[in-house]
Amino acid sequence: MGATVTRARTTRGEPAAPGGAPEMVQLLTPDGKRIDSARDPYGTEYTVDFTDQEYHKLYHDMVVIRRLDAEAEALQRQGELGIWASLRGQEAAQVGSGHALRPQDMAFPTYREHGVLYCRGIDPIMPLGLFRGVDQGGWDPSKFKFHMYTIVIGAQTLHATGYAMGVAKDGKVGGDDGEAVIAYFGDGATSQGDVNEAFVWSSVYHAPIVFFCQNNQYAISEPIERQTRVPLHQRANGFGFPGIRVDGNDVLASYAVTKAALDQARRGQGPTMIEAYTYRMGAHTTSDDPTRYRLAGEVEQWQAKDPILRLRTFLAEQQIAGDDFFQQTDAEAKAASQELRERVLALPDPQPVQLFDHVYPTGSAELDQQRAQFSAYLESFEGGAH
Amino acid sequence: MAAENLTLGKALNSGLRKAMEDDPKVIMMGEDIGKLGGVFRITDGLQKDFGEDRVIDTPLAESGIVGTAVGLAIRGYRPVCEIQFDGFVYPAFDQIVSQLAKMHYRSQGQVRLPVVIRIPFGGGIGAVEHHSESPETYFVHTAGLKVVTCASPVDAYWMIQQAIASDDPIVFLEPKRRYWEKGEVDTAAPAAQVFPLHASRVARPGTDCTVLAYGPMVKVALDAATAAEEDGRALEVIDLRTLSPLDLTPVYESVRRTGRCVVVHEAPATLGMGAEVAARVTEECFYSLESPVLRVAGFDTPYPASRLEEEYLPDLDRVLDAVDRSFGW
Ligand SMILES: Cc1ncc(C[n+]2csc(CCOP(=O)(O)OP(=O)(O)O)c2C)c(N)n1
Ligand SMILES: [Mg+2]
């Protein structure tokens, strides 16, 4: 997308105005008012300069992924998916950062990055196999520049760091066409050893990476206070790279801050941590019951900061979009969700012997034997032997 | 006699509660074990009644959970750690295998670490990857750790208390897919009547073939025994209960009578509990065996996507098939 980001700072290091700077970078207020530009504590100035079409695209993608998300949740309720991890409330963080990626950039998601996936132009059916239980991801990360979902908390941040080290070794950093890597993770993940090791490695090796932490205030039932006493973005300084808090419910700021950080990385300026301050509006997953640990009032407060509503208000007030556009978008979202539903229902179940596939790239004679024995065993049932 | 009909999960909950009442040094640590009561609700209500000091929602880091439990134990506490799912114990591997397990040995017996690590284990609940694993062999293979698993509510209630009271570091494996199964628990049974922790037990007597199982597979073995009865075969089912140390005396006694032995577990066959048991049974009962000890186990693959787990998991048919093979040898 062709927006401009002004990055005023010349050196990286200590925040220029740690005390006085606004708490987080915001370009669109909860009530839909545009802020011309915003500064982070390091002195970098952010703004965006989108065309109407670009604004439409951001809005469209947020609406579509919310609708797809709701459909997936419904499919789980109807027994068609084993589980679903909803992104509701986090659309701006994901669509903003997702669109900031360039085609050559590589993303390492958790299990909740359906929105980023969508913005990468990837077919939204792709992760549904994992949630339906027909596969465990099963896509080629390098083809999509989007790694498989990682469920073990924090592990992917090290993979992203290693990948970024490889990018640097390949000489693919330095110019505007350089490659950058983005690692997604949650607030809870910041407690894991792996994540802290990823910070150390990327700092020491000056890896072209952006650590994009969606602080949705909860790790399942545990509020952020169980993980940290300082705002998460402040952790980055101790590791030797900047940490910036962005309003994660503001798609414009999420875009601008991520784009700037990715560009820093691709130009050889090393890592940045972004803390996207947001809220998990739904349950942790469909297995969770948030009424056990949080109050409805809190959810209502965040409802007022809804990422989609504020962009809609802005677009309408500025006459960047009218009712036609909004209706059209809703219709497209509905159609997309119906299509997703049909395709989920049509996902083929795996065949029993597929259990044995792909354990090793070079195969295993032992496993071949187990497969043959199991096939023979299954065949023994034909004709109702047992 | 205060017999209650409890689910296995509720029996664990009651056992944990009793352990906390009995000893103020007992503390619980884990992810989401407070207000939420754990993702399986095994610690439900404990934080409310014993406070945040004793039922601790930890930061999201398994190495931290076990590592700090080691320190708390050095300081005189009796930590009970909850690992949310089997597949998430691996970040704590160093702390369990190199630290917790070896401290007593290294200190020449001067440091005792009465830490219990509770792990819901095994498959069969239709979960995504990393939520259905059977990691027992790693821990059984590690000297200094004891490993036990319960298969019934009554065992759940007593074994968790015995594990907490023990001075050994214990990995306590909970058969997650059996959490909702009910059984009678006499919570007022006199201590002398309670079955010891490190002992296996005949779960169903029989004369024709010995079937060994533990944790979630005990029910499968018992169901197979019921089915085999119709074929005129009386299977003797033994619940191993303790995986480290093993208690095979009742097994040897059984196999000497039946002449046949089948071992059932979800974990992959290679280097699993079945391999160890087969070696020992062969050595002890060689002249009584009518056929080799057979294993019914998970395949040597990663635990598959949930739509394949029925194929992966040993079931009644596979147990009966092994029994058939034993008889047809
Ligand atoms: C190593 C590990 N431990 C525990 C879990 C279980 N678990 C799944 S999600 C989750 C909370 C993650 O919180 P956060 O990092 O904030 O991400 P969010 O789910 O809020 O997006 C936990 C504890 C896991 N998947 N991996
Ligand atoms: Mg979170």
Side-chain angles (χ1 to χ4, degrees), chain A residues 79-80 82-83 130-136 149 151-153 188-189 191-193 219-222 226-227 288-289 292-293 349-352 354-356 359 366-367 370 374 377 381 386, chain B residues 30-33 35-37 39 41 44 52 57-62 84 87-88 91 126 128-131 270 299-308 311-312 315 317-318 320-321 324:
Chain A
E80 298 296 344
I83 191 169
L130 174 72
F131 293 102
R132 188 161 165 88
V134 301
D135 62 38
Q136 295 180 334
Y149 281 4
I151 289 175
V152 180
I153 298 297
S191 295
Q192 280 287 6
I220 309 187
S221 72
E222 295 194 16
R226 294 273 75 79
Q227 317 291 343
D288 180 36
D289 174 10
R292 292 181 71 104
Y293 55 82
D349 272 345
Q351 292 302 307
Q354 283 179 270
L355 249 169
F356 298 94
V359 180
E366 261 186 345
L367 214 51
Q370 284 186 20
F374 185 55
Y377 167 76
F381 283 86
H386 276 262
Chain B
E31 295 155 10
D32 306 289
I33 68 166
K35 271 189 190 160
L36 190 64
V39 295
R41 310 292 185 261
D44 193 20
E52 292 186 14
D57 265 338
T58 67
L60 205 179
E62 290 74 11
Q84 201 161 79
F88 307 139
V128 284
E129 53 180 355
H130 316 298
H131 291 73
T270 299
F299 302 107
D300 289 319
T301 69
Y303 195 88
S306 63
R307 296 219 170 198
L308 285 174
E311 271 74 31
Y312 179 89
D315 60 4
D317 285 323
R318 274 170 66 192
L320 292 179
D321 175 70
D324 280 350

Side-chain angles (χ1 to χ4, degrees), chain A residues 373, chain B residues 208-214 221 233 235 240 251 255 258-265 267-270 272-282 289-298 314 317-329:
Chain A
Q373 278 169 358
Chain B
D208 301 337
C209 177
T210 306
V211 179
L212 308 179
Y214 56 88
R233 281 180 186 151
L235 308 186
L240 289 177
V251 175
V255 175
T258 64
R260 300 177 199 282
C261 183
V262 170
V263 196
V264 189
H265 54 68
T270 299
M273 295 309 299
E276 182 60 34
V277 168
R280 294 199 203 180
V281 167
T282 306
L289 282 170
E290 302 286 341
S291 69
V293 180
L294 297 178
R295 287 171 290 172
V296 183
D317 285 323
R318 274 170 66 192
V319 175
L320 292 179
D321 175 70
V323 170
D324 280 350
R325 281 188 286 127
S326 179
F327 275 93
W329 202 267

Side-chain angles (χ1 to χ4, degrees), chain A residues 186-188 214 216 218-219:
Chain A
D187 44 288
Q214 285 167 86
N216 62 7
Y218 285 93

Side-chain angles (χ1 to χ4, degrees), chain B residues 125-152:
Chain B
I125 62 161
V128 284
E129 53 180 355
H130 316 298
H131 291 73
S132 305
E133 314 221 327
S134 297
E136 57 267 29
T137 295
Y138 302 125
F139 304 119
V140 172
H141 202 68
T142 300
L145 295 176
K146 291 190 175 175
V147 184
V148 300
T149 175
C150 53
S152 65

Side-chain angles (χ1 to χ4, degrees), chain B residues 146-161:
Chain B
K146 291 190 175 175
V147 184
V148 300
T149 175
C150 53
S152 65
V154 66
D155 272 357
Y157 179 74
W158 291 111
M159 288 174 79
I160 190 64
Q161 293 180 64

Side-chain angles (χ1 to χ4, degrees), chain B residues 70-234:
Chain B
V70 167
L72 282 155
I74 294 170
R75 183 69 194 182
Y77 286 86
R78 304 185 86 84
V80 181
C81 303
E82 174 172 304
I83 301 294
Q84 201 161 79
F85 281 91
D86 34 54
F88 307 139
V89 68
Y90 308 117
F93 208 60
D94 171 68
Q95 287 295 343
I96 298 173
V97 165
S98 297
Q99 311 304 327
L100 179 61
K102 295 183 175 53
M103 206 74 86
H104 190 255
Y105 194 70
R106 289 170 54 216
S107 69
Q108 300 193 330
Q110 295 175 90
V111 180
R112 292 182 175 206
L113 299 178
V115 175
V116 173
I117 302 176
R118 297 178 35 237
I119 311 176
F121 85 124
I125 62 161
V128 284
E129 53 180 355
H130 316 298
H131 291 73
S132 305
E133 314 221 327
S134 297
E136 57 267 29
T137 295
Y138 302 125
F139 304 119
V140 172
H141 202 68
T142 300
L145 295 176
K146 291 190 175 175
V147 184
V148 300
T149 175
C150 53
S152 65
V154 66
D155 272 357
Y157 179 74
W158 291 111
M159 288 174 79
I160 190 64
Q161 293 180 64
Q162 291 165 326
I164 293 169
S166 165
D167 275 354
D168 294 315
I170 297 186
V171 173
F172 191 95
L173 298 167
E174 302 174 358
K176 70 169 84 81
R177 71 157 133 162
R178 307 291 178 218
Y179 274 147
W180 300 273
E181 297 204 3
K182 288 191 155 185
E184 290 285 305
V185 182
D186 178 5
T187 54
Q193 276 175 29
V194 176
F195 207 75
L197 181 61
H198 293 295
S200 58
R201 179 163 56 193
V202 175
R204 174 182 168 126
T207 49
D208 301 337
C209 177
T210 306
V211 179
L212 308 179
Y214 56 88
M217 283 292 120
V218 173
K219 180 171 191 305
V220 171
L222 288 171
D223 289 349
T226 304
E229 205 171 17
E230 289 167 24
D231 300 341
R233 281 180 186 151

Side-chain angles (χ1 to χ4, degrees), chain A residues 52-345:
Chain A
D52 287 3
Q53 282 79 1
E54 286 168 343
Y55 277 124
H56 290 177
K57 177 78 178 144
L58 292 173
Y59 179 82
H60 170 273
D61 286 3
M62 287 202 289
V63 169
V64 170
I65 61 166
R66 179 170 290 186
R67 189 68 188 78
L68 293 177
D69 188 76
E71 196 63 42
E73 203 162 79
L75 281 162
Q76 194 283 334
R77 295 281 178 239
Q78 292 151 7
E80 298 296 344
L81 297 179
I83 191 169
W84 181 249
S86 167
L87 59 58
R88 191 154 49 87
Q90 300 176 217
E91 293 88 352
Q94 295 202 14
V95 170
S97 64
H99 277 299
L101 291 165
R102 297 205 193 161
Q104 71 268 28
D105 295 341
M106 179 72 182
F108 286 80
T110 71
Y111 39 83
R112 211 186 286 285
E113 267 67 73
H114 327 305
V116 181
L117 178 144
Y118 185 80
C119 295
R120 295 243 78 189
I122 299 168
D123 186 341
I125 191 81
M126 205 166 76
L128 272 291
L130 174 72
F131 293 102
R132 188 161 165 88
V134 301
D135 62 38
Q136 295 180 334
W139 66 80
D140 175 2
S142 49
K143 181 172 163 202
F144 297 99
K145 290 276 177 183
F146 187 85
H147 192 71
M148 287 181 291
Y149 281 4
T150 299
I151 289 175
V152 180
I153 298 297
Q156 77 283 2
T157 58
L158 279 171
H159 310 156
T161 300
Y163 187 96
M165 289 162 62
V167 169
K169 284 189 193 307
D170 289 346
K172 299 288 186 185
V173 287
D176 272 349
D177 57 351
E179 291 180 34
V181 179
I182 190 164
Y184 287 90
F185 54 103
D187 44 288
T190 60
S191 295
Q192 280 287 6
D194 277 9
V195 175
N196 289 273
E197 289 168 25
F199 290 168
V200 170
W201 252 251
S202 62
S203 171
V204 167
Y205 295 105
H206 210 54
I209 187 167
V210 174
F211 292 105
F212 194 91
C213 176
Q214 285 167 86
N215 176 0
N216 62 7
Q217 313 301 326
Y218 285 93
I220 309 187
S221 72
E222 295 194 16
I224 183 70
E225 299 76 48
R226 294 273 75 79
Q227 317 291 343
T228 186
R229 276 188 193 269
V230 298
L232 287 175
H233 66 281
Q234 287 182 11
R235 295 240 181 114
N237 281 315
F239 289 96
F241 51 88
I244 299 158
R245 181 179 277 183
V246 64
D247 182 347
N249 283 17
D250 169 356
V251 69
L252 308 183
S254 294
Y255 172 86
V257 171
T258 310
K259 184 171 159 49
L262 286 167
D263 286 346
Q264 290 281 319
R266 80 176 80 256
R267 289 185 198 123
Q269 301 295 307
T272 302
M273 177 183 176
I274 298 171
E275 178 193 3
Y277 202 76
T278 180
Y279 193 76
R280 194 195 76 209
M281 293 301 291
H284 168 68
T285 65
T286 44
S287 309
D288 180 36
D289 174 10
T291 62
R292 292 181 71 104
Y293 55 82
R294 70 182 186 190
L295 299 169
E298 180 185 298
V299 182
E300 273 164 33
Q301 274 180 9
W302 278 90
Q303 196 88 51
K305 303 180 196 170
D306 185 71
I308 298 182
L309 201 62
R310 75 170 78 173
L311 186 61
R312 187 187 168 116
T313 306
F314 168 71
L315 296 182
E317 278 180 9
Q318 298 300 310
Q319 297 180 354
I320 298 170
D323 283 347
D324 283 358
F325 168 76
F326 294 128
Q327 276 163 21
Q328 165 84 10
T329 305
D330 288 345
E332 280 172 26
K334 192 171 176 209
S337 69
Q338 271 166 1
E339 189 194 328
L340 186 75
R341 161 173 291 270
E342 280 156 26
R343 291 174 66 204
V344 165
L345 299 182

